[in-house]
Amino acid sequence: KREYQYASSLLAELETAQWVRSMNFDHGVAPDVRTLLTKYNDVRRQNGLDACQALTRALAHESSVGPRMSPYGRQWAQRFRKRWDLKRKKLQQTFRLDVDSLVARARFFFNWVDWCAQQ
């Protein structure tokens, strides 16, 4: 049971890290600590785990003392970013192509390669 919980926790971290990368690359926004902790706890609940009690307390502390996050919450977010190699900065937006556009571009490229080979 402990191994299952550890694996589920890692999967929740992975899904949260992918969400952070998506926010960075698709929207050019780095989520703040409160949003990161809330997302991680939400993903844990979706995966059938209880919310992390320490992070829940950190979020409750944050709401009781104003906009400043508790030291534990900030430290957890810092370790999380380091563990998953996430940077806390605003990135330029990138544009992802849909599958149909990629297929069309690949088809054009290979047709061009065939044409060059015939010359």
Side-chain angles (χ1 to χ4, degrees), residues 4-115:
Y4 172 78
Q5 288 179 340
Y6 179 72
S8 296
S9 179
L10 271 180
L11 288 174
E13 281 193 21
L14 173 64
E15 188 174 332
T16 305
Q18 289 173 337
W19 174 78
V20 170
R21 285 189 181 103
S22 162
M23 292 295 289
N24 277 335
F25 290 116
D26 294 345
H27 304 290
V29 176
D32 63 348
V33 173
R34 183 177 186 278
T35 307
L36 178 64
L37 297 180
T38 304
K39 177 66 176 178
Y40 176 68
N41 270 342
D42 290 346
V43 171
R44 282 181 60 96
R45 284 189 204 105
Q46 289 171 359
N47 289 348
L49 296 172
D50 293 332
C52 181
Q53 295 302 318
L55 297 182
T56 303
R57 282 193 301 273
L59 286 167
H61 171 80
E62 185 266 340
S63 62
S64 67
V65 298
R68 188 163 172 82
M69 177 56 66
S70 74
Y72 179 80
R74 288 192 309 272
Q75 290 169 355
W76 185 90
Q78 185 178 17
R79 287 190 307 268
F80 176 82
R81 287 188 185 106
K82 186 175 182 180
R83 182 171 43 251
W84 293 98
D85 194 31
L86 300 170
K87 308 292 186 243
R88 175 123 170 85
K89 61 181 179 179
K90 185 175 178 178
L91 301 175
Q92 272 189 327
Q93 282 184 285
T94 58
F95 298 98
R96 294 186 181 173
L97 297 174
D98 58 31
V99 175
D100 294 333
S101 297
L102 287 174
V103 168
R105 287 181 180 209
R107 186 175 294 127
F108 175 78
F109 173 75
F110 287 112
N111 287 339
W112 178 77
V113 168
D114 288 342
W115 179 80

